[in-house]
Amino acid sequence: MFEHYFQCPYCWEEISMLLDPSVRQQTYVEDCEVCCNPIQITVSFEAEELQEFRAEDIEQ
């Protein structure tokens, strides 16, 4: 597992997330642990190195 820190696109608090480098490309929704708003997470790994990480708000 790979721990990654980023800012919530809603409340701007820094939060951390555990990422699994064994899955090369991932897109999923996870709630912010501070403000509980849904965040779309997009992650890609290559050779178990993080290549891309995006945390975007979901327009509601």
Side-chain angles (χ1 to χ4, degrees), residues 1-52:
M1 296 301 267
F2 181 83
E3 186 172 23
H4 183 73
Y5 292 87
F6 64 98
Q7 278 189 320
C8 171
Y10 297 97
C11 67
W12 303 107
E13 290 292 325
E14 183 177 66
I15 55 178
S16 70
M17 180 173 289
L18 290 176
L19 305 174
D20 182 0
S22 69
V23 181
R24 288 182 41 135
Q25 293 191 331
Q26 307 168 47
T27 299
Y28 56 94
V29 175
E30 188 156 324
D31 291 341
C32 173
E33 51 193 54
V34 178
C35 70
C36 300
N37 283 304
I39 304 168
Q40 181 171 314
I41 305 294
T42 304
V43 180
S44 65
F45 286 92
E46 188 169 311
E48 296 197 8
E49 292 288 324
L50 183 62
Q51 297 297 309
E52 175 186 20

